[in-house]
Amino acid sequence: MSNNRVSRRQFLGYTLTGVGGFMAAGMLMPMVRFAVDPILQQHEGGDYVLTDQAVADITEEPVRVDFTFEQTDAWYKSEVTNSAWVYKEGDKLIALSPVCKHLGCTVNWAGSPEHPTQFFCPCHAGRYEKNGQNIAGTPPLGPLDEYQVKEQDGFVAIGAVRDNTLV
Amino acid sequence: MHFIGKEIDQYLNQQDYIDTVVVPLLQIDLSETGMKSSAGASEYLQNLTALLEKQFKGRILLLPPISYGKTADRQRIADELTKEVEHTKFKHVFYLTTDSEWRTLDSLKNVLWLPAIPIEDMDQSFKNSVMEDQLRQVLPLFTKEWSHHS
């Protein structure tokens, strides 16, 4: 038997502190988790999709590069293939979105025989310069969007879409 | 544009630009022998029209496939569809189908008949390139029709 006996008052004090501590922790822990949650989130937008287009083959002439990623729409998962017009400006890679800023058709490089150095939208004859600048007098009201793009192991990797930074 | 609520809002604001309606015509065959090829044709047709919509999003409205049984009266369907489109602002109507019986019908203009290709066993990238090839056959028919009447 131990010599230092615990009095009734002490015993109740310890017990209440212990139980109270558990209850406080039970309340505080989820709060702390909620507070730090935004830091732990993974940012999907920053992911790059690797394509099978070699960077060495890219010239100053825009080429179409397809890239596929998985898209979740509510409970329906599907593979989506998008494309980008990729070219080199000096040593810098540039990838433009093919989605027309007018009503969302797909634009083609040199799609019109009369304008071989422009992007052309077959729907309403919208045209863009090589850097995505929309040509005044044609229906589009803004420049083509740009993809973030980088070289990864010698291949083109395409990232998030953003506003055109070239014009 | 797809025939969904959000895009119809956009359509209603931009009716002058979206002047073409695309109607897929799809035969449903539920017999044990015909089911597989009917489903394959459905997959092909919906893939193709989705790709077409992606290319020409700002100028066409893609309707959901009009489905009917083997013994359906094509003439009646044609008359009903024509009547429905008659009082709209659409200037061009295209019907896409893999069902060869539509070729014998004269009353419908712009019926594009394509033989269905079984795409279910192809891997993704091969399927994409096959469908792109198919699309390339169809695109000029659209641009030709548009340049004729504008």
Side-chain angles (χ1 to χ4, degrees):
Chain A
M1 279 292 270
S2 164
N3 285 336
N4 42 354
R5 301 178 53 115
V6 179
S7 73
R8 186 184 303 246
R9 183 184 296 270
Q10 273 174 322
F11 172 75
L12 278 173
Y14 291 149
T15 320
L16 281 177
T17 317
V19 172
F22 270 116
M23 282 168 68
M27 276 165 64
L28 284 174
M29 293 269 282
M31 287 188 192
V32 173
R33 182 64 180 78
F34 282 138
V36 300
D37 188 64
I39 305 167
L40 301 175
Q41 287 277 333
Q42 293 204 344
H43 293 286
E44 287 186 27
D47 287 347
Y48 280 82
V49 181
L50 194 61
T51 68
D52 52 9
Q53 172 72 48
V55 172
D57 295 341
I58 303 263
T59 61
E60 289 191 349
E61 185 82 3
V63 285
R64 211 185 94 180
V65 176
D66 290 339
F67 60 101
T68 303
F69 57 95
E70 199 168 72
Q71 180 177 295
T72 311
D73 186 12
W75 56 88
Y76 180 72
K77 275 192 179 172
S78 56
E79 288 235 305
V80 182
T81 301
N82 272 351
S83 47
W85 289 102
V86 182
Y87 66 94
K88 263 185 193 157
E89 181 103 3
D91 274 343
K92 201 171 153 243
L93 275 177
I94 289 169
L96 292 176
S97 157
V99 177
C100 181
K101 296 301 273 185
H102 179 218
L103 286 171
C105 298
T106 305
V107 301
N108 293 308
W109 174 251
S112 158
E114 292 111 72
H115 305 280
T117 59
Q118 289 176 353
F119 290 104
F120 178 73
C121 175
C123 288
H124 305 101
R127 284 185 280 125
Y128 303 86
E129 306 275 6
K130 188 172 159 188
N131 64 7
Q133 172 73 57
N134 54 306
I135 287 169
T138 64
L141 299 172
L144 290 174
D145 283 338
E146 193 187 350
Y147 282 111
Q148 287 185 315
V149 66
K150 67 176 184 186
E151 181 175 345
Q152 197 172 318
D153 308 325
F155 290 94
V156 176
I158 290 180
V161 73
R162 58 177 175 182
D163 286 342
N164 196 311
T165 57
L166 305 165
V167 293
Chain B
M1 305 282 147
H2 288 287
F3 197 65
I4 56 173
K6 205 169 100 196
E7 300 199 346
I8 293 304
D9 282 342
Q10 205 184 355
Y11 163 73
L12 291 171
N13 290 327
Q14 308 277 354
Q15 290 190 30
D16 295 339
Y17 286 112
I18 303 153
D19 63 354
T20 305
V21 59
V22 173
V23 190
L25 299 169
L26 184 61
Q27 184 196 258
I28 305 278
D29 182 350
L30 291 183
S31 70
E32 226 159 90
T33 47
M35 209 164 167
K36 170 100 185 187
S37 65
S38 176
S42 160
E43 189 183 359
Y44 168 82
L45 189 65
Q46 298 199 49
N47 256 290
L48 183 70
T49 47
L51 209 55
L52 180 74
E53 193 274 343
K54 200 173 176 189
Q55 175 68 55
F56 288 146
K57 189 180 187 61
R59 187 141 185 198
I60 68 176
L61 176 68
L62 172 64
L63 294 189
I66 308 293
S67 316
Y68 50 86
K70 277 196 296 291
T71 56
D73 183 350
R74 267 71 166 177
Q75 187 64 56
R76 188 183 62 84
I77 296 174
D79 293 343
E80 284 174 4
L81 288 174
T82 317
K83 208 169 159 197
E84 196 59 46
V85 178
E86 215 168 38
H87 298 293
T88 62
K89 282 192 175 175
F90 291 111
K91 292 189 199 126
H92 315 283
V93 191
F94 281 91
Y95 300 91
L96 261 75
T97 187
T98 58
D99 172 8
S100 55
E101 283 197 37
W102 288 99
R103 293 197 293 178
T104 58
L105 231 70
D106 299 328
S107 55
L108 278 190
K109 214 165 85 56
N110 280 332
V111 177
L112 310 182
W113 176 80
L114 302 123
I117 297 174
I119 53 172
E120 68 262 26
D121 294 326
M122 299 176 183
D123 72 45
Q124 190 71 34
S125 62
F126 185 56
K127 185 159 86 183
N128 285 350
S129 74
V130 168
M131 293 315 290
E132 296 254 328
D133 278 343
Q134 293 292 304
L135 184 68
R136 265 196 285 279
Q137 319 229 343
V138 179
L139 292 186
L141 301 169
F142 278 80
T143 41
K144 196 173 134 201
E145 163 87 8
W146 287 338
S147 59
H148 263 256
H149 299 272
S150 61

CSV table of all heavy atoms in Angstrom, one decimal, chain A residues 105 121-125, chain B residues 17-22 52 55-61 91-94 110 139-150:
chain,number,residue,atom,x,y,z
A,105,CYS,N,-16.3,27.5,-80.5
A,105,CYS,CA,-15.9,26.5,-81.5
A,105,CYS,C,-14.4,26.2,-81.4
A,105,CYS,O,-13.7,26.8,-80.6
A,105,CYS,CB,-16.2,27.0,-82.9
A,105,CYS,SG,-17.9,27.4,-83.2
A,121,CYS,N,-11.6,30.4,-87.2
A,121,CYS,CA,-12.7,29.7,-86.7
A,121,CYS,C,-13.7,29.4,-87.8
A,121,CYS,O,-14.2,30.4,-88.4
A,121,CYS,CB,-13.3,30.5,-85.5
A,121,CYS,SG,-14.8,29.7,-84.9
A,122,PRO,N,-14.1,28.2,-88.1
A,122,PRO,CA,-14.9,27.9,-89.2
A,122,PRO,C,-16.4,28.3,-89.0
A,122,PRO,O,-17.1,28.3,-90.0
A,122,PRO,CB,-14.8,26.4,-89.4
A,122,PRO,CG,-14.4,25.9,-88.0
A,122,PRO,CD,-13.7,27.0,-87.4
A,123,CYS,N,-16.8,28.6,-87.8
A,123,CYS,CA,-18.2,28.8,-87.5
A,123,CYS,C,-18.6,30.2,-88.1
A,123,CYS,O,-19.6,30.3,-88.8
A,123,CYS,CB,-18.5,28.7,-86.0
A,123,CYS,SG,-18.4,27.1,-85.4
A,124,HIS,N,-17.9,31.2,-87.6
A,124,HIS,CA,-18.3,32.6,-88.1
A,124,HIS,C,-17.1,33.4,-88.6
A,124,HIS,O,-17.1,34.6,-88.5
A,124,HIS,CB,-19.0,33.3,-86.9
A,124,HIS,CG,-20.2,32.5,-86.4
A,124,HIS,ND1,-20.1,31.8,-85.2
A,124,HIS,CD2,-21.4,32.3,-86.8
A,124,HIS,CE1,-21.2,31.2,-85.0
A,124,HIS,NE2,-22.1,31.5,-85.9
A,125,ALA,N,-16.2,32.6,-89.1
A,125,ALA,CA,-15.0,33.3,-89.8
A,125,ALA,C,-14.2,34.2,-88.8
A,125,ALA,O,-13.7,35.2,-89.2
A,125,ALA,CB,-15.4,34.0,-91.0
B,17,TYR,N,-26.4,33.7,-84.4
B,17,TYR,CA,-25.2,33.0,-84.8
B,17,TYR,C,-25.4,31.5,-84.8
B,17,TYR,O,-24.8,30.8,-85.7
B,17,TYR,CB,-24.1,33.3,-83.7
B,17,TYR,CG,-23.5,34.7,-83.9
B,17,TYR,CD1,-23.8,35.6,-82.9
B,17,TYR,CD2,-22.8,35.0,-85.0
B,17,TYR,CE1,-23.2,36.9,-83.0
B,17,TYR,CE2,-22.2,36.3,-85.1
B,17,TYR,CZ,-22.5,37.2,-84.1
B,17,TYR,OH,-21.9,38.5,-84.2
B,18,ILE,N,-26.2,31.0,-84.0
B,18,ILE,CA,-26.4,29.5,-83.9
B,18,ILE,C,-27.6,29.2,-84.9
B,18,ILE,O,-28.8,29.1,-84.4
B,18,ILE,CB,-26.7,29.0,-82.5
B,18,ILE,CG1,-25.5,29.5,-81.6
B,18,ILE,CG2,-26.8,27.5,-82.4
B,18,ILE,CD1,-25.8,29.7,-80.2
B,19,ASP,N,-27.3,28.9,-86.1
B,19,ASP,CA,-28.4,28.8,-87.1
B,19,ASP,C,-28.6,27.4,-87.7
B,19,ASP,O,-29.2,27.2,-88.6
B,19,ASP,CB,-28.1,29.8,-88.3
B,19,ASP,CG,-26.8,29.5,-89.0
B,19,ASP,OD1,-26.1,28.6,-88.6
B,19,ASP,OD2,-26.6,30.1,-90.0
B,20,THR,N,-27.9,26.5,-87.0
B,20,THR,CA,-28.0,25.1,-87.6
B,20,THR,C,-28.3,24.1,-86.5
B,20,THR,O,-27.8,24.2,-85.3
B,20,THR,CB,-26.6,24.7,-88.1
B,20,THR,OG1,-26.2,25.7,-89.1
B,20,THR,CG2,-26.6,23.4,-88.8
B,21,VAL,N,-29.2,23.2,-86.8
B,21,VAL,CA,-29.6,22.2,-85.8
B,21,VAL,C,-29.2,20.8,-86.3
B,21,VAL,O,-29.4,20.6,-87.5
B,21,VAL,CB,-31.1,22.3,-85.4
B,21,VAL,CG1,-32.0,22.1,-86.6
B,21,VAL,CG2,-31.5,21.4,-84.3
B,22,VAL,N,-28.6,20.0,-85.5
B,22,VAL,CA,-28.2,18.7,-85.8
B,22,VAL,C,-29.0,17.7,-85.1
B,22,VAL,O,-29.1,17.7,-83.9
B,22,VAL,CB,-26.7,18.5,-85.5
B,22,VAL,CG1,-26.3,17.1,-85.8
B,22,VAL,CG2,-25.8,19.5,-86.3
B,52,LEU,N,-18.5,16.5,-83.3
B,52,LEU,CA,-18.9,17.6,-84.2
B,52,LEU,C,-19.4,18.8,-83.5
B,52,LEU,O,-19.1,19.9,-83.8
B,52,LEU,CB,-20.1,17.0,-85.0
B,52,LEU,CG,-20.8,17.9,-86.1
B,52,LEU,CD1,-19.9,18.1,-87.3
B,52,LEU,CD2,-22.1,17.4,-86.5
B,55,GLN,N,-16.4,20.8,-82.4
B,55,GLN,CA,-15.8,21.6,-83.4
B,55,GLN,C,-16.6,22.8,-83.7
B,55,GLN,O,-16.1,23.9,-83.9
B,55,GLN,CB,-15.6,20.7,-84.7
B,55,GLN,CG,-15.1,21.4,-85.9
B,55,GLN,CD,-13.7,21.9,-85.8
B,55,GLN,OE1,-12.8,21.1,-85.5
B,55,GLN,NE2,-13.5,23.2,-85.9
B,56,PHE,N,-17.9,22.6,-83.8
B,56,PHE,CA,-18.8,23.7,-84.3
B,56,PHE,C,-19.7,24.2,-83.2
B,56,PHE,O,-20.9,24.6,-83.4
B,56,PHE,CB,-19.7,23.2,-85.4
B,56,PHE,CG,-18.9,23.1,-86.7
B,56,PHE,CD1,-19.3,22.1,-87.6
B,56,PHE,CD2,-17.9,23.9,-87.1
B,56,PHE,CE1,-18.6,21.9,-88.8
B,56,PHE,CE2,-17.2,23.8,-88.3
B,56,PHE,CZ,-17.6,22.8,-89.1
B,57,LYS,N,-19.2,24.2,-81.9
B,57,LYS,CA,-20.1,24.5,-80.8
B,57,LYS,C,-20.9,25.8,-81.0
B,57,LYS,O,-22.0,25.9,-80.6
B,57,LYS,CB,-19.2,24.7,-79.5
B,57,LYS,CG,-20.0,24.8,-78.3
B,57,LYS,CD,-19.0,24.9,-77.1
B,57,LYS,CE,-19.7,24.9,-75.8
B,57,LYS,NZ,-20.4,23.6,-75.5
B,58,GLY,N,-20.2,26.8,-81.5
B,58,GLY,CA,-20.9,28.1,-81.6
B,58,GLY,C,-21.8,28.3,-82.8
B,58,GLY,O,-22.4,29.4,-83.0
B,59,ARG,N,-22.0,27.3,-83.6
B,59,ARG,CA,-22.9,27.4,-84.7
B,59,ARG,C,-24.0,26.4,-84.8
B,59,ARG,O,-25.0,26.6,-85.5
B,59,ARG,CB,-22.1,27.4,-86.0
B,59,ARG,CG,-23.0,27.8,-87.2
B,59,ARG,CD,-22.3,28.7,-88.2
B,59,ARG,NE,-23.3,29.1,-89.2
B,59,ARG,CZ,-22.9,29.5,-90.4
B,59,ARG,NH1,-21.7,29.7,-90.7
B,59,ARG,NH2,-23.9,29.9,-91.3
B,60,ILE,N,-23.8,25.3,-84.1
B,60,ILE,CA,-24.9,24.2,-84.1
B,60,ILE,C,-25.5,23.9,-82.8
B,60,ILE,O,-24.9,24.1,-81.7
B,60,ILE,CB,-24.3,22.9,-84.7
B,60,ILE,CG1,-23.3,22.2,-83.8
B,60,ILE,CG2,-23.7,23.1,-86.1
B,60,ILE,CD1,-22.8,20.9,-84.3
B,61,LEU,N,-26.7,23.5,-82.8
B,61,LEU,CA,-27.4,23.0,-81.7
B,61,LEU,C,-27.6,21.5,-81.9
B,61,LEU,O,-28.2,21.1,-82.8
B,61,LEU,CB,-28.7,23.7,-81.4
B,61,LEU,CG,-29.6,23.1,-80.3
B,61,LEU,CD1,-28.9,23.4,-78.9
B,61,LEU,CD2,-31.0,23.6,-80.3
B,91,LYS,N,-31.7,28.0,-89.8
B,91,LYS,CA,-31.7,28.1,-91.3
B,91,LYS,C,-31.3,26.7,-91.9
B,91,LYS,O,-31.6,26.5,-93.0
B,91,LYS,CB,-30.7,29.2,-91.7
B,91,LYS,CG,-31.1,30.5,-91.4
B,91,LYS,CD,-30.2,31.6,-92.1
B,91,LYS,CE,-30.3,32.9,-91.4
B,91,LYS,NZ,-29.0,33.4,-91.0
B,92,HIS,N,-30.5,25.9,-91.1
B,92,HIS,CA,-30.0,24.7,-91.7
B,92,HIS,C,-30.3,23.6,-90.7
B,92,HIS,O,-30.2,23.7,-89.5
B,92,HIS,CB,-28.5,24.7,-91.9
B,92,HIS,CG,-28.0,26.0,-92.5
B,92,HIS,ND1,-28.2,26.2,-93.9
B,92,HIS,CD2,-27.4,27.1,-92.0
B,92,HIS,CE1,-27.6,27.4,-94.2
B,92,HIS,NE2,-27.2,28.0,-93.0
B,93,VAL,N,-30.8,22.4,-91.3
B,93,VAL,CA,-31.0,21.2,-90.4
B,93,VAL,C,-30.2,20.1,-91.0
B,93,VAL,O,-30.2,19.9,-92.2
B,93,VAL,CB,-32.5,20.8,-90.4
B,93,VAL,CG1,-32.8,19.8,-89.4
B,93,VAL,CG2,-33.4,22.1,-90.2
B,94,PHE,N,-29.5,19.4,-90.2
B,94,PHE,CA,-28.7,18.2,-90.6
B,94,PHE,C,-29.2,17.0,-89.8
B,94,PHE,O,-29.4,17.1,-88.6
B,94,PHE,CB,-27.2,18.4,-90.4
B,94,PHE,CG,-26.6,19.2,-91.4
B,94,PHE,CD1,-26.4,20.6,-91.2
B,94,PHE,CD2,-26.0,18.7,-92.6
B,94,PHE,CE1,-25.8,21.4,-92.2
B,94,PHE,CE2,-25.4,19.4,-93.5
B,94,PHE,CZ,-25.3,20.8,-93.3
B,110,ASN,N,-30.6,17.0,-96.5
B,110,ASN,CA,-29.4,17.0,-95.6
B,110,ASN,C,-29.4,15.8,-94.6
B,110,ASN,O,-29.1,16.0,-93.5
B,110,ASN,CB,-29.2,18.3,-94.9
B,110,ASN,CG,-28.6,19.3,-95.7
B,110,ASN,OD1,-27.8,19.0,-96.7
B,110,ASN,ND2,-28.8,20.6,-95.4
B,139,LEU,N,-17.3,17.4,-91.9
B,139,LEU,CA,-17.1,18.8,-91.8
B,139,LEU,C,-17.3,19.6,-93.1
B,139,LEU,O,-18.0,20.6,-93.1
B,139,LEU,CB,-15.7,19.1,-91.3
B,139,LEU,CG,-15.4,18.7,-89.8
B,139,LEU,CD1,-14.0,19.2,-89.4
B,139,LEU,CD2,-16.5,19.3,-88.9
B,140,PRO,N,-16.7,19.1,-94.3
B,140,PRO,CA,-16.9,19.9,-95.5
B,140,PRO,C,-18.3,20.0,-95.9
B,140,PRO,O,-18.7,21.1,-96.5
B,140,PRO,CB,-16.1,19.1,-96.5
B,140,PRO,CG,-15.2,18.2,-95.8
B,140,PRO,CD,-15.9,17.9,-94.5
B,141,LEU,N,-19.2,19.0,-95.6
B,141,LEU,CA,-20.6,19.1,-95.9
B,141,LEU,C,-21.3,20.3,-95.2
B,141,LEU,O,-22.1,20.9,-95.7
B,141,LEU,CB,-21.3,17.8,-95.6
B,141,LEU,CG,-20.7,16.6,-96.3
B,141,LEU,CD1,-21.3,15.3,-95.7
B,141,LEU,CD2,-21.0,16.6,-97.8
B,142,PHE,N,-20.8,20.5,-94.0
B,142,PHE,CA,-21.4,21.6,-93.2
B,142,PHE,C,-20.9,23.0,-93.8
B,142,PHE,O,-21.7,23.8,-94.0
B,142,PHE,CB,-21.0,21.5,-91.7
B,142,PHE,CG,-21.8,20.5,-91.0
B,142,PHE,CD1,-21.6,19.2,-91.0
B,142,PHE,CD2,-22.8,21.0,-90.2
B,142,PHE,CE1,-22.4,18.3,-90.3
B,142,PHE,CE2,-23.6,20.2,-89.5
B,142,PHE,CZ,-23.4,18.8,-89.5
B,143,THR,N,-19.6,23.1,-94.0
B,143,THR,CA,-19.0,24.4,-94.4
B,143,THR,C,-19.6,24.7,-95.8
B,143,THR,O,-19.8,25.8,-96.1
B,143,THR,CB,-17.5,24.3,-94.4
B,143,THR,OG1,-17.1,23.1,-94.9
B,143,THR,CG2,-17.0,24.6,-93.0
B,144,LYS,N,-19.8,23.6,-96.6
B,144,LYS,CA,-20.4,23.9,-98.0
B,144,LYS,C,-21.8,24.4,-97.9
B,144,LYS,O,-22.1,25.4,-98.5
B,144,LYS,CB,-20.3,22.5,-98.7
B,144,LYS,CG,-20.5,22.7,-100.2
B,144,LYS,CD,-20.3,21.4,-100.9
B,144,LYS,CE,-21.4,21.2,-102.0
B,144,LYS,NZ,-21.6,19.8,-102.3
B,145,GLU,N,-22.6,23.8,-97.0
B,145,GLU,CA,-24.0,24.2,-96.9
B,145,GLU,C,-24.0,25.7,-96.4
B,145,GLU,O,-24.8,26.5,-96.8
B,145,GLU,CB,-24.7,23.3,-95.9
B,145,GLU,CG,-25.9,23.8,-95.3
B,145,GLU,CD,-27.2,23.5,-96.1
B,145,GLU,OE1,-27.1,22.8,-97.1
B,145,GLU,OE2,-28.3,24.1,-95.8
B,146,TRP,N,-23.1,26.0,-95.4
B,146,TRP,CA,-23.1,27.3,-94.9
B,146,TRP,C,-22.7,28.4,-95.9
B,146,TRP,O,-23.2,29.5,-96.0
B,146,TRP,CB,-22.2,27.4,-93.6
B,146,TRP,CG,-22.7,26.7,-92.4
B,146,TRP,CD1,-24.0,26.4,-92.2
B,146,TRP,CD2,-22.0,26.2,-91.3
B,146,TRP,NE1,-24.1,25.8,-91.0
B,146,TRP,CE2,-22.9,25.6,-90.5
B,146,TRP,CE3,-20.6,26.1,-91.0
B,146,TRP,CZ2,-22.5,25.0,-89.2
B,146,TRP,CZ3,-20.2,25.6,-89.8
B,146,TRP,CH2,-21.2,25.0,-88.9
B,147,SER,N,-21.7,28.0,-96.7
B,147,SER,CA,-21.2,29.0,-97.6
B,147,SER,C,-22.2,29.2,-98.8
B,147,SER,O,-22.2,30.3,-99.4
B,147,SER,CB,-19.8,28.6,-98.2
B,147,SER,OG,-19.9,27.4,-98.8
B,148,HIS,N,-23.0,28.2,-99.0
B,148,HIS,CA,-24.0,28.4,-100.1
B,148,HIS,C,-25.1,29.4,-99.7
B,148,HIS,O,-25.6,30.1,-100.6
B,148,HIS,CB,-24.7,27.0,-100.3
B,148,HIS,CG,-24.2,26.2,-101.4
B,148,HIS,ND1,-24.8,26.1,-102.6
B,148,HIS,CD2,-23.0,25.5,-101.5
B,148,HIS,CE1,-24.0,25.4,-103.4
B,148,HIS,NE2,-22.9,25.0,-102.8
B,149,HIS,N,-25.4,29.4,-98.4
B,149,HIS,CA,-26.6,30.1,-98.1
B,149,HIS,C,-26.3,31.3,-97.2
B,149,HIS,O,-27.1,31.7,-96.3
B,149,HIS,CB,-27.6,29.2,-97.3
B,149,HIS,CG,-28.1,28.1,-98.1
B,149,HIS,ND1,-29.2,28.1,-98.9
B,149,HIS,CD2,-27.6,26.8,-98.3
B,149,HIS,CE1,-29.4,27.0,-99.5
B,149,HIS,NE2,-28.4,26.2,-99.2
B,150,SER,N,-25.1,31.9,-97.3
B,150,SER,CA,-24.8,33.0,-96.5
B,150,SER,C,-24.2,34.1,-97.3
B,150,SER,O,-24.0,34.1,-98.5
B,150,SER,CB,-24.0,32.6,-95.3
B,150,SER,OG,-22.8,32.1,-95.7
